[in-house]
Amino acid sequence: MTTLAVESLGYTAGSSVLIDGVSLTAHPGELLGVVGPNGAGKSTLLQLMAGDRTPTRGSVTLDGRPIAEYRPSELARMRAVLPQQTVVQFPFTSRDIVLMGRHPHHGDPNNSHEHDLGVARAAMAATHTLDLETRIFPSLSGGEQTRVAFARILAQETPIILLDEPTTTLDVHHQEHTMQLLGHRARRGAAIVAVLHDLNLAAAYAGRLVLLSEGRVRAIGSPAQVLDEDVLSETYHQRMRVMNHPHRDCPLVVVE
């Protein structure tokens, strides 16, 4: 089981402190939601956890080993990253995009092109994108592109999955379906960290939440612990009410 941990993490860009003293661990079998207002440092934290940025201070470790010590090919077999937007300018098909997730496995003597294709098509079926497999990726709608990019992440078959706003461009049905797929991967042992803007989606599907504000952890714990009316209202500069969800065993956040 693979664990991703950050300790006293800090990141400064020029005179701006974007991340300040963040400590947390993504555990196997867990979906950890990262929430907070715009500019809170959510995307920067995810990039630091992925090893795509170098922290100014503190540490990021993967199974107790500094993430900077991993070779890129080795890291690609350990963690998959879904950015906010997947920019593709060449006329790759959706199937080509998903098969890119299999690239880290090309050196495995037990792997084959037939296996890669099977994994890719299974990921596309799971994300309801199999009917898009021959479509040119740049011609897809924003939501379709997000779902295909998510299929690529699933096809990569890594023990850690990091996602930056995976549901923002999706309709309600595909938002729910994407979170259900992430929950299924977590139950199979993956450690998942997802930046989410929708507090109610986060409450419904994340086992733990971390609330960021101005680069610092304002609260961390279960959704019931983190989604406090006063804390949310102060953090988002918007009065909010928190009540029991009428149909789900989780809090429901309502803007006043």
Side-chain angles (χ1 to χ4, degrees), residues 16-36:
S16 300
V17 179
L18 303 183
I19 296 293
D20 188 8
V22 173
S23 297
L24 58 88
T25 301
H27 299 285
E30 174 184 58
L31 201 171
L32 174 65
V34 181
V35 298

Side-chain angles (χ1 to χ4, degrees), residues 121-239:
R121 298 195 84 239
M124 297 189 80
T127 55
H128 300 166
T129 56
L130 198 54
D131 60 327
L132 304 174
E133 66 175 336
T134 60
R135 290 275 303 278
I136 301 301
F137 184 80
S139 74
L140 302 178
S141 71
E144 289 171 334
Q145 288 186 2
T146 296
R147 286 157 49 207
V148 170
F150 181 44
R152 175 181 61 81
I153 295 301
L154 296 181
Q156 199 168 331
E157 294 189 314
T158 56
I160 294 175
I161 300 175
L162 307 173
L163 310 102
D164 196 352
E165 300 183 28
T167 62
T168 299
T169 63
L170 303 182
D171 59 40
V172 172
H173 168 68
H174 287 109
Q175 286 180 358
E176 294 286 335
H177 185 65
T178 294
M179 296 306 296
Q180 289 167 6
L181 287 176
L182 290 175
H184 177 66
R185 281 294 172 109
R187 288 189 295 274
R188 289 174 55 191
I192 298 174
V193 182
V195 171
L196 299 165
H197 269 303
D198 189 322
L199 295 175
N200 289 314
L201 270 182
Y205 288 100
R208 279 195 307 149
L209 295 178
V210 54
L211 173 63
L212 287 186
S213 177
E214 297 180 341
R216 298 176 182 147
V217 174
R218 181 67 193 271
I220 187 168
S222 69
Q225 292 170 322
V226 171
L227 300 178
D228 174 84
E229 286 184 357
D230 294 332
V231 172
L232 290 178
S233 298
E234 181 181 343
T235 301
Y236 283 90
H237 305 290
Q238 170 68 51
R239 187 61 195 166

Side-chain angles (χ1 to χ4, degrees), residues 63-92:
D63 280 346
R65 176 181 167 193
I67 199 167
E69 292 184 359
Y70 285 83
R71 298 187 306 275
S73 59
E74 190 179 14
L75 195 58
R77 291 190 295 272
M78 300 290 287
R79 61 95 180 100
V81 184
L82 180 68
Q84 286 186 23
Q85 186 178 15
T86 301
V87 179
V88 176
Q89 297 180 338
F90 296 99
F92 292 115

Side-chain angles (χ1 to χ4, degrees), residues 73 76-77 98-108 111 116 155-156:
S73 59
R77 291 190 295 272
V98 179
L99 280 170
M100 290 176 188
R102 298 300 302 164
H103 183 75
H105 303 281
H106 285 181
D108 184 351
N111 194 38
D116 285 343
Q156 199 168 331

